[in-house]
Every structure is written in C-alpha cells, then in structure tokens.
Amino acid sequence: MILAANWKMHMGPDETRRFAKRFSELVDPKPDRQIVFFPPAVSVEAAATAFAGRPDVRIGVQDVYWEPKGAFTGATSVALARAAGATVTLIGHSERRHVFGETVEDTHQKVVAACEGGLRPFLCVGETLAQREAGETEAVVSAQLHAALRGVRASLLVDLAVAYEPVWAIGTGRNATPDDAAHVHRVLRGLMAGLGIVESAPILYGGSVNPGNARQLLARPEIDGALVGGASLDPEVWAKVIAEADAAGGAGAPSGA
Ligand code: 13P
C-alpha cells in the first residue's frame, strides 16, 4: 500500500518541519505501507531531513526536467532532485498537463530521465469530464500511458508506479466511485501487462480522496494506494486517511522500493 501526499503549491520549509513533527506523533511506521510526500521543490530538502528517521517515508518532487543541467530557468533536473533528498517524482500530473501545457512527449522524456537517473516515476494519467462523458476514458488513459512508456525498456520500468487521477475528481470533492476507479485500474493493468511492466507495479487512485472515502476505495484489490492533495495538507486529516487505509486491509501490490 502506498499513500502519497501531493502538496502542490503549499507548505514552505518551516511548515514542512512542523508537519513532520506532528505527523510522527500521529502515525507509526507499518510494514507494507509506504508514505510518500511530494512537497514543493523549495521544501524537498527540509522534508528529507525532517523525515530522515522514518524508513517508511519517501520524499519526491512534483515534476522533473529531462536535461541533466544547463540554462533551463525554473526547472529541476533528476540529479538536483536527488541531491535535495528526493527518490521519487510525479510525472504528467494533470495540472502539469492542463495548466502548464505539458505534452505526452514531455512525459515520455521525463519517464526515461527519471528511470535512468534513479528517481522512481509516479506517472499520472486521467480523463477530463468531457472525455468521460464522451465515453473516451479508456482511450485517453491508454494514449497517455502508451505515449509515456512506449519504447522504454521494461527493465528500466521496474520501479514504475502509475496514478489514475480523473481530472474531474481533482480538488472538486467528487471522487470516482470504487467501481469506476477499479474498472479503470483493471484497464491500466492490462495495458501495462501488454508493455511488459511487472505485475507488482502499483496503481494508485487520486482525486478527492479523504477520510470519508479512503477505506472504500482502498479496499478494492485493484487499488494499490492513493495520491492525495487537499486531505494531505493537515497532519491530523492525513493521519485519518492513513488510518482508513490501514483499516481497508492493505490489500494490493507491494509498495516496492
Ligand atoms: P485532491 O485530493 O485535492 O483532489 O487532489 C488530487 C491530486 O491531484 C493529487 O495529485
């Protein structure tokens, strides 16, 4: 089970340290449960230091650029992310795609750079409301997955995690039903198998996960974890999400490296 907190553009270094202190009072490590924090880039080092005593916690960046170094203002390379203490990166989050215009070709280059440079990629896919209503969900996630991963050696993708985040469910308070999410996760699992990706690669659900719906979603064997925005910003609420996930029974793929 993987419980990942995407803090988006919230939480500076001081808030990160305060969060980590309170979090460690509230949540004990548990075997087979990995917690990942994706703070903003400026807080990655603070998070890595503050959670250093927690073997169950990984720190990630929210985005990464594929070039190794150079004149790329505002960008973070894989090596810079690692130097700050990150071991994981989100790739293709819907806000990167829809707010910043990231293309499927970009996601492909980022996946390759992350895997080659030793950052675990969490590839995000998901359809918009218009696409869902037009019956295009499977075609959209398939196109996003294939464009990002096609041609990448399966041996390079052993650490891949995928997050299904329907755009209409992000920050809206409207989550996918467990049945709808489980269906798309089965579709993704089939597509990943076709690309030779190991069956243990986790598939997370994201989109308005909160303490009230986490247990039902995570009880589904197709759903190996959650990628959570709003409900991960307060340590008390985030601890409740984690407790609900624990109560769901921890079914699903191993959390991996
Ligand atoms: P919310 O949990 O706020 O809907 O955000 C989901 C998300 O985008 C996580 O990456």
Side-chain angles (χ1 to χ4, degrees), residues 6 38 61-66 89-111 114 121-127 140 144-145 148 160-167 170 227:
N6 176 8
F38 294 98
V61 284
Q62 297 172 9
D63 182 38
V64 79
Y65 194 53
W66 55 83
T89 182
L90 293 178
I91 292 175
H93 189 277
S94 77
E95 287 143 26
R96 298 299 319 168
R97 295 179 195 260
H98 295 289
V99 182
F100 297 99
E102 185 166 306
T103 66
V104 291
E105 290 77 25
D106 294 342
T107 64
H108 177 82
Q109 302 220 60
K110 290 177 181 191
V111 167
F122 277 41
L123 175 67
C124 305
V125 298
E127 81 286 5
V140 169
Q144 290 172 336
L145 192 85
L160 176 76
V162 170
Y164 170 53
E165 295 208 310
V167 179
I170 295 178
L227 179 56

